[in-house]
Amino acid sequence: MSNISLEKVRQAITLMQGGDIDVWLTFARETMQTPDPALDLIFPHNLTWDSAFLVSRSGRSLAIIGRYDADNVRKEGAYDDVRTYDQGISQALREAVAELAPKRIGLNYSLSDTGCDGLSHGNFLRLQQMLGDLAELASADELVRRLRESKSASELARIRETTRMQQAVYAEMFKLPLRGMNELDIQNRAHEIIARHGLEIDGDPAANPIVNAGPESSIGHGLPSAALTLQPGMVLHFDMWLRHNGYCADLQRCAYVLRPGEIKAPDLVQRAWDSCWLALEAGKAALKPGVAAWEVDNVAREALVECGYDEYLHAFGHHIGRATHDGGSVLGPRWERYGDRPFKQIDVGSVFTLELGVILEGHGYIGIEEMVVVTETGNEFISTPQRELRLI
Amino acid sequence: MSNISLEKVRQAITLMQGGDIDVWLTFARETMQTPDPALDLIFPHNLTWDSAFLVSRSGRSLAIIGRYDADNVRKEGAYDDVRTYDQGISQALREAVAELAPKRIGLNYSLSDTGCDGLSHGNFLRLQQMLGDLAELASADELVRRLRESKSASELARIRETTRMQQAVYAEMFKLPLRGMNELDIQNRAHEIIARHGLEIDGDPAANPIVNAGPESSIGHGLPSAALTLQPGMVLHFDMWLRHNGYCADLQRCAYVLRPGEIKAPDLVQRAWDSCWLALEAGKAALKPGVAAWEVDNVAREALVECGYDEYLHAFGHHIGRATHDGGSVLGPRWERYGDRPFKQIDVGSVFTLELGVILEGHGYIGIEEMVVVTETGNEFISTPQRELRLI
């Protein structure tokens, strides 16, 4: 992991040039219980006691770490200066801030961007007490957002590897005797395959992968049901988000279960699949550096509605990297719950999911999700896209 | 999980009687990325969009959940009223708060207690905007602390089960051909054993289990080294924290590697082991309902110092439950970094680790860690304690 932490600390210093944050402070404790997603970028292990990572615009990087965690920070090698304490962090932290003499300290909080909102409110109040007389405390959300979004070469390589592995998992899942299996059985078998491939399930295994067998299934982040068995005429839909080596992939896959005598999906189903792809390609064509995130969603959304379907009730895409939902901008509509995230501009080097779907009465949920990386002029697939609806 | 969520919601209502919090609000989003440890007690799955769980002193329980997460909350069955939204949570949340008409809303933030500090600063600012005109926003840390600490019967049963399973893992680890293996090899083999027993590693597997072979090893939360091989005369020390079915165990185990001709550990090593146990038993005898947490630490700390050893630089014990370091009070000294946690009183039903150790020059780290549950009159072991130093 050392290369990535060091790459990201250096990238942060570059991003701070010309900005109004003099020192970026990541402050965390008991990160197993309350992790800070920004910390993952610049130190990949857990910390127990109060820990402070300071990166200054002038190019210094400094960590203040409890005695028992300090060795790991030194081994990581991303900080020029690692200081330790035993009883309490405040004195060493005040001294370090006094040395760096910032006007403004950027902290990891954000009203709209979870990936930049890892500082707890309790820790914010403590920093106010410890440092409030030394500098102005402000949000570092723009810095952290850009740091998360713009993937370094080694980050991109890891995402590609996880994506390749997840596709291999899907290939095995479609070899299962799926007809007649219930959603929960399918999920259990998927868990075995995932473990065998050496991938980690990101988050709660009870809800990952999502398995939707037919029209009665719970669409969204619902749990699989042992009462729903895959039958002819149903659409089978999977959504899965996995991690390997610290980086995630997130893809959906879909199939139709042929009824006796059928050799292809009914027109109703095929038309929905084709319309989803038409809308996805329309949105994909709009994704390039400099456009606002909501515009990309809007193109896909309108294309699907023009095909005669309801608009999907989620975003067209999200960043992916260390986390599956990786904060930053979102390719989503300008709805309240997305805050200002749809208004951000697209940057080169970002990795997005592109996803949408249609609920088909009597059949189930048709959903597509692929992954792309933003290039100088547009974007290209990271995943090998599922162009054809599978038949079972 | 349903029983525990419902048990804990009911327990929260009971704990709120007589207090000054009218409504307890847990507010979270993207909990895979930024989990709230208090949410785990009352809803065991991840949530993606803004989600609000309200428990009122008058006995109502109400959840406001994004459309795609709502089914899971309904299935969990711990809330009387589950409301959904599509575009943004604020209107439904304001309506719910207006109905409940609290004077004071308790939120999950705390200056000293990580287990009660899951609300991000960004989300705090948003709640101020959404609800600041309707009620006073205050810390719910005392409520959450007591809710975490006092284990229900089904919670205690799960902790016992995880402890039993972790002991079985240790038993297998001591069957490995440990002599001559390096720390990293030992950790890799431990990971296989843990997986085979169906336990999850809590947090970063690179640092769990801790494996310390001899005096050159990094004491504390350090990573194992491939350069350190287990040799005669060394102390081998393990520390491991595992989870099963949502509940954790955390135990240390120790052994001495006999040199040619030795049939027992040298006096220096044996005396350190015996002194650690003497100090641990002294601290254990002081642990009962009503005493202040720091007093328990102080008894153990002084007993070890009286034996002629340095005082340990950590707390004598921490709560354990859903998390390994489970917030709440801490059996620790009145040092700055523990905040007000050592000043809290011990409650019945709490589960604590008891741990301490001695660094022995030329041999390595002697460490003991066991687990106890607080009863009406004292406490009893949950783990089967390692009374004798193992010989390898």
Side-chain angles (χ1 to χ4, degrees):
Chain A
M1 291 294 192
S2 357
N3 290 342
I4 289 181
S5 298
L6 186 58
E7 272 172 36
K8 297 308 268 185
V9 167
R10 289 184 178 158
Q11 191 184 348
I13 293 167
T14 305
L15 289 170
M16 288 168 80
Q17 304 308 313
D20 59 2
I21 289 175
D22 306 300
V23 166
W24 172 39
L25 168 59
T26 295
F27 187 85
R29 60 178 171 186
E30 297 282 2
T31 60
M32 275 196 294
Q33 212 176 19
T34 50
D36 178 343
L39 175 63
D40 295 342
L41 299 171
I42 55 169
F43 182 69
H45 304 294
N46 283 308
L47 296 157
T48 301
W49 301 354
D50 287 326
S51 306
F53 296 84
L54 298 106
V55 176
S56 83
R57 191 167 48 187
S58 64
R60 289 184 65 184
S61 60
L62 194 153
I64 305 167
I65 308 292
R67 168 185 299 259
Y68 296 126
D69 289 320
D71 264 12
N72 290 351
V73 177
R74 289 206 181 88
K75 280 182 193 163
E76 185 68 12
Y79 299 86
D80 303 333
D81 189 351
V82 179
R83 305 178 184 181
T84 63
Y85 72 91
D86 283 321
Q87 297 205 356
I89 199 171
S90 65
Q91 195 189 334
L93 180 57
R94 282 183 64 83
E95 282 169 13
V97 167
E99 278 174 45
L100 297 171
K103 264 194 182 166
R104 179 177 286 179
I105 298 177
L107 302 176
N108 299 340
Y109 69 84
S110 169
L111 269 67
S112 58
D113 185 344
T114 312
C116 313
D117 194 30
L119 179 67
S120 70
H121 183 55
N123 277 341
F124 176 84
L125 295 175
R126 293 173 63 215
L127 289 176
Q128 248 182 351
Q129 289 173 0
M130 285 191 256
L131 305 176
D133 59 327
L134 294 179
E136 180 198 343
L137 305 180
S139 165
D141 61 350
E142 273 302 298
L143 167 63
V144 175
R145 177 178 77 82
R146 294 178 64 197
L147 190 64
R148 290 194 82 79
E149 288 186 353
S150 189
K151 303 296 189 287
S152 71
S154 12
E155 288 186 292
L156 190 56
R158 292 202 189 179
I159 296 171
R160 285 186 192 277
E161 175 67 2
T162 308
T163 306
R164 192 195 58 71
M165 292 170 79
Q166 176 163 338
Q167 290 175 173
V169 168
Y170 269 133
E172 262 196 62
M173 283 166 65
F174 279 109
K175 286 179 190 156
L176 292 171
L178 294 163
R179 278 174 179 257
M181 285 177 75
N182 69 51
E183 289 182 346
L184 198 59
D185 285 342
I186 295 173
Q187 195 195 54
N188 287 335
R189 296 294 296 272
H191 286 166
E192 289 170 24
I193 297 170
I194 291 164
R196 192 155 16 83
H197 282 252
L199 287 148
E200 296 160 45
I201 291 173
D202 184 28
D204 182 5
N208 182 1
I210 290 171
V211 180
N212 298 122
E216 303 304 320
S217 184
S218 156
I219 305 303
H221 304 116
L223 305 181
S225 162
L228 290 176
T229 299
L230 192 63
Q231 301 291 343
M234 283 183 176
V235 171
L236 172 64
H237 168 256
F238 293 135
D239 189 354
M240 179 156 76
W241 42 105
L242 303 177
R243 181 180 282 119
H244 178 67
N245 220 345
Y247 285 81
C248 298
D250 179 9
L251 303 168
Q252 296 176 36
R253 290 296 177 257
C254 239
Y256 172 75
V257 186
L258 294 168
R259 284 178 287 213
E262 281 181 341
I263 54 164
K264 60 187 184 67
D267 288 350
L268 185 80
V269 174
Q270 189 61 46
R271 203 179 83 78
W273 177 260
D274 294 341
S275 302
C276 284
W277 261 105
L278 185 147
L280 190 135
E281 285 287 8
K284 180 175 185 295
L287 176 64
K288 55 189 158 199
V291 303
W294 69 266
E295 297 179 271
V296 181
D297 172 88
N298 199 50
V299 170
R301 190 172 295 273
E302 289 193 345
L304 192 64
V305 170
E306 272 170 36
C307 292
Y309 298 99
D310 289 342
E311 62 177 311
Y312 46 90
L313 292 172
H314 54 74
F316 178 52
H318 53 80
H319 283 275
I320 182 164
R322 284 209 167 261
T324 298
H325 286 182
D326 207 27
S329 57
V330 67
L331 308 179
R334 291 163 290 178
W335 292 344
E336 177 200 327
R337 70 182 166 84
Y338 293 119
D340 62 355
R341 298 174 60 196
F343 297 90
K344 307 282 179 190
Q345 281 191 6
I346 305 300
D347 278 341
V348 175
S350 296
V351 176
F352 283 104
T353 63
L354 301 183
E355 54 182 302
L356 47 74
V358 158
I359 299 172
L360 273 186
E361 217 171 308
H363 294 288
Y365 182 69
I366 294 272
I368 299 176
E369 183 173 20
E370 303 291 348
M371 288 166 59
V372 298
V373 57
V374 177
T375 61
E376 296 285 346
T377 54
N379 67 85
E380 55 195 42
F381 281 116
I382 282 183
S383 52
T384 307
Q386 183 194 355
R387 297 280 183 184
E388 307 294 331
L389 181 62
R390 270 177 182 272
L391 300 174
I392 291 179
Chain B
M1 292 292 191
S2 355
N3 290 342
I4 289 181
S5 297
L6 186 58
E7 272 172 34
K8 297 307 267 186
V9 167
R10 288 184 180 158
Q11 191 184 349
I13 293 167
T14 305
L15 289 170
M16 288 167 81
Q17 304 308 314
D20 58 0
I21 289 175
D22 306 301
V23 165
W24 172 38
L25 168 59
T26 295
F27 187 84
R29 59 179 171 186
E30 297 281 3
T31 59
M32 274 196 294
Q33 212 176 19
T34 49
D36 178 343
L39 175 62
D40 295 342
L41 299 171
I42 55 170
F43 181 70
H45 304 294
N46 283 307
L47 295 157
T48 301
W49 300 355
D50 287 325
S51 307
F53 295 83
L54 299 104
V55 176
S56 82
R57 191 167 47 187
S58 63
R60 290 183 64 184
S61 61
L62 194 152
I64 305 167
I65 308 291
R67 169 185 298 259
Y68 296 126
D69 288 321
D71 263 11
N72 290 351
V73 178
R74 288 205 184 89
K75 279 183 195 164
E76 184 67 12
Y79 298 87
D80 302 333
D81 188 351
V82 179
R83 304 176 185 183
T84 63
Y85 72 90
D86 283 321
Q87 297 205 356
I89 199 171
S90 65
Q91 195 188 334
L93 180 57
R94 282 183 63 83
E95 282 169 12
V97 167
E99 279 173 45
L100 297 172
K103 261 194 184 166
R104 178 178 287 180
I105 298 178
L107 302 176
N108 299 340
Y109 68 85
S110 170
L111 268 67
S112 58
D113 185 345
T114 312
C116 313
D117 194 30
L119 180 67
S120 71
H121 184 55
N123 277 340
F124 176 84
L125 295 175
R126 294 173 64 216
L127 289 176
Q128 248 182 352
Q129 288 173 1
M130 285 192 254
L131 304 177
D133 59 328
L134 294 180
E136 181 198 343
L137 304 180
S139 165
D141 61 351
E142 273 300 299
L143 167 63
V144 175
R145 177 179 76 83
R146 295 180 63 197
L147 190 63
R148 290 195 82 79
E149 288 186 353
S150 190
K151 305 294 189 287
S152 70
S154 12
E155 287 185 293
L156 190 57
R158 292 203 189 178
I159 296 171
R160 285 185 192 277
E161 173 69 3
T162 308
T163 306
R164 192 194 58 72
M165 292 170 79
Q166 175 162 340
Q167 289 175 174
V169 167
Y170 269 133
E172 262 196 63
M173 283 167 64
F174 279 109
K175 286 180 190 154
L176 293 171
L178 293 163
R179 276 173 179 258
M181 287 177 73
N182 70 51
E183 290 182 347
L184 198 59
D185 285 342
I186 296 173
Q187 195 196 55
N188 287 335
R189 296 294 297 274
H191 286 166
E192 290 170 25
I193 297 170
I194 292 163
R196 190 155 18 84
H197 283 253
L199 286 149
E200 297 160 44
I201 291 172
D202 184 28
D204 182 4
N208 183 0
I210 290 171
V211 180
N212 298 122
E216 302 304 319
S217 184
S218 155
I219 305 304
H221 304 115
L223 304 182
S225 161
L228 290 177
T229 298
L230 192 63
Q231 301 291 342
M234 283 183 177
V235 171
L236 172 64
H237 168 256
F238 293 136
D239 190 353
M240 176 155 78
W241 43 104
L242 303 177
R243 181 180 281 118
H244 178 68
N245 220 345
Y247 284 80
C248 298
D250 178 9
L251 302 169
Q252 297 175 35
R253 290 296 178 256
C254 240
Y256 172 77
V257 187
L258 294 169
R259 285 179 287 213
E262 281 182 339
I263 55 163
K264 59 187 183 69
D267 289 349
L268 185 80
V269 174
Q270 189 61 46
R271 203 179 84 77
W273 176 261
D274 294 340
S275 302
C276 283
W277 261 106
L278 185 147
L280 190 133
E281 285 287 8
K284 181 175 184 295
L287 176 63
K288 54 191 158 198
V291 304
W294 69 267
E295 297 178 89
V296 181
D297 173 87
N298 200 49
V299 171
R301 189 172 296 273
E302 289 194 346
L304 192 65
V305 170
E306 272 170 37
C307 293
Y309 298 99
D310 289 342
E311 62 178 312
Y312 46 89
L313 293 172
H314 53 75
F316 177 53
H318 54 81
H319 283 275
I320 182 163
R322 285 210 166 261
T324 297
H325 287 181
D326 208 27
S329 57
V330 67
L331 307 179
R334 291 162 290 177
W335 292 346
E336 178 199 327
R337 70 181 166 84
Y338 293 119
D340 62 354
R341 298 174 59 197
F343 296 90
K344 307 282 179 190
Q345 281 192 4
I346 305 299
D347 279 341
V348 175
S350 296
V351 176
F352 283 104
T353 62
L354 301 183
E355 54 183 300
L356 48 73
V358 159
I359 298 173
L360 274 186
E361 217 173 308
H363 295 288
Y365 183 69
I366 294 272
I368 300 177
E369 183 174 20
E370 302 291 348
M371 289 166 58
V372 297
V373 58
V374 177
T375 61
E376 297 285 345
T377 55
N379 68 85
E380 56 194 42
F381 281 115
I382 282 183
S383 52
T384 307
Q386 183 194 357
R387 298 277 184 185
E388 305 295 331
L389 181 63
R390 269 177 183 272
L391 299 174
I392 291 179

